[in-house]
Amino acid sequence: MRIQDYVSGMRIPTLALSVAPVWMGVEAALYEFRARDISASSGTTVAVAFLCLGVALFLQIAANFANDYSDGVHGADANRGANSGVIESIDIDVAAENGYTREEIDEVLQRAAPTRLVASGVPPKHVLIAAIVNAVLACACGIAVCVLTGHWWLILVGAMCVAAAWFYVGGPKPYGYMGFGELVAFVFFGLVATLGTQYALCGTITGYGWYGAAVIGLVAAIVLSINNLRDIHTDAAAGKRTLEVRIGERASTVMICVAIGVVLLAMLIPWSVLWITIDSSLENLTIISGYAATLGSIVLILISVVAILDVAHHRFRNAMKTCCG
């Protein structure tokens, strides 16, 4: 496998979904450290935080390669080979001369899925090996976390994560083909990654951690849902019965827009309320903190509105960039 193929298979733009829950878990742990008046600057704490990040990143990369391998073997990516990448550089002027409107061209560009490795001719065995290597690296990071923290039962959680990554589109009955992808994304990219990081760092799980985990998990589910909505026609043709295929394009669009609205409300709460009570003392309020909270709320509202409009107008690529960025 060429280096450029490997980098393409990693799907780097989506890796923010691995960084976000670990970051949230670290924040939740630091909040708990401050509440206990415990120093969080020890070398072990820093090492565990980076190892948790390694687990999340390597596991997602492994899942991306496993997804590419399984979909390629099952034929779900038959129309996403190297030739499909031509749409990336379509000559708009030539297309317009052939009778296509700019709106039609934009629709094609937005629905054009990224090129997949197996469908492009990369040997499936090479893609599978890449998945296994990254899964092993994730396991190595996870075992190191267990060694440093003494929480050996986390190995069981790690094994469940590896199984979830493989059986999404792998195995005889992949759950991704039955409409459970969003639910599993919420659980593992949200709850497990965030709360696992917090527990590994401070040995407990708090309400703050649960709140952040739920929000991050919902964002992960939204990104997967947008991806599936983009591929709804090709997935249906390939027999891939995702949630979006099951409920239809219109209902999926409404579901995603509502979910984005829920995330917006959930994120506005800490921006506009928690800054008031962070020290349980009104004397700590300042004009700067109030300005920051207001500005942050405005930014979140604008991002959410842009994402909703992108989904509603089938600008799926733009929507995924907004949600992942």
Side-chain angles (χ1 to χ4, degrees):
M1 182 187 300
R2 300 173 303 174
I3 294 178
Q4 53 264 45
D5 292 331
Y6 185 87
V7 172
S8 174
M10 289 172 63
R11 305 182 202 172
I12 293 176
T14 68
L15 296 184
L17 297 175
S18 292
V19 177
V22 174
W23 172 80
M24 181 61 69
V26 170
E27 284 293 313
L30 292 177
Y31 189 85
E32 183 66 13
F33 282 138
R34 288 193 294 268
R36 299 181 189 176
D37 195 22
I38 299 175
S39 174
S41 59
S42 68
T44 300
T45 301
V46 175
V48 170
F50 276 103
L51 286 170
C52 287
L53 180 60
V55 171
L57 285 173
F58 286 127
L59 196 56
Q60 185 183 352
I61 294 172
N64 289 341
F65 280 116
N67 185 2
D68 195 309
Y69 167 80
S70 297
D71 273 347
V73 171
H74 291 153
D77 290 337
N79 64 328
R80 294 173 67 170
N83 292 333
S84 66
V86 174
I87 195 66
E88 300 277 358
S89 58
I90 186 172
D91 190 320
I92 295 177
D93 292 332
V94 173
E97 291 176 359
N98 290 327
Y100 292 96
T101 65
R102 180 57 185 266
E103 289 74 17
E104 291 173 331
I105 296 171
D106 287 340
E107 174 76 10
V108 172
L109 288 171
Q110 290 293 335
R111 281 194 178 273
T115 301
R116 292 294 182 87
L117 299 182
V118 175
S120 299
V122 177
K125 182 179 178 180
H126 293 180
V127 180
L128 180 60
I129 291 174
I132 293 173
V133 168
N134 280 280
V136 170
L137 291 173
C139 291
C141 291
I143 292 174
V145 170
C146 294
V147 171
L148 291 175
T149 63
H151 302 313
W152 290 99
W153 64 271
L154 289 176
I155 290 180
L156 177 61
V157 177
M160 293 173 60
C161 292
V162 173
W166 172 253
F167 288 109
Y168 171 55
V169 291
K173 292 184 178 180
Y175 64 83
Y177 282 32
M178 297 185 289
F180 296 111
E182 286 77 9
L183 176 60
V184 176
F186 174 83
V187 172
F188 285 95
F189 280 95
L191 303 185
V192 173
T194 302
L195 300 179
T197 299
Q198 183 186 16
Y199 189 87
L201 289 171
C202 65
T204 189
I205 295 174
T206 63
Y208 183 73
W210 278 104
Y211 186 89
V215 175
I216 295 297
L218 188 54
V219 172
I222 289 171
V223 172
L224 179 59
S225 189
I226 293 173
N227 179 79
N228 289 340
L229 180 57
R230 179 198 64 197
D231 298 339
I232 189 169
H233 301 304
T234 54
D235 284 345
K240 191 174 181 179
R241 302 284 293 172
T242 62
L243 176 62
E244 290 66 30
V245 172
R246 290 175 177 273
I247 67 176
E249 190 165 0
R250 177 172 296 182
S252 298
T253 301
V254 173
M255 176 186 69
I256 293 171
C257 292
V258 170
I260 293 174
V262 172
V263 170
L264 169 62
L265 292 176
M267 294 179 71
L268 282 177
I269 292 175
W271 272 107
S272 59
V273 177
L274 293 186
W275 65 275
I276 296 178
T277 58
I278 191 169
D279 289 320
S280 300
S281 175
L282 291 178
E283 293 84 24
N284 291 304
L285 293 180
T286 64
I287 294 176
I288 294 178
S289 62
Y291 174 78
T294 302
L295 180 61
S297 299
I298 293 174
V299 171
L300 289 173
I301 291 172
L302 290 176
I303 291 175
S304 299
V305 170
V306 169
I308 289 174
L309 290 175
D310 283 338
V311 172
H313 290 87
H314 293 176
R315 296 192 291 262
F316 301 119
R317 289 193 174 190
N318 295 347
M320 291 186 67
K321 290 178 181 178
T322 300
C323 292
C324 290

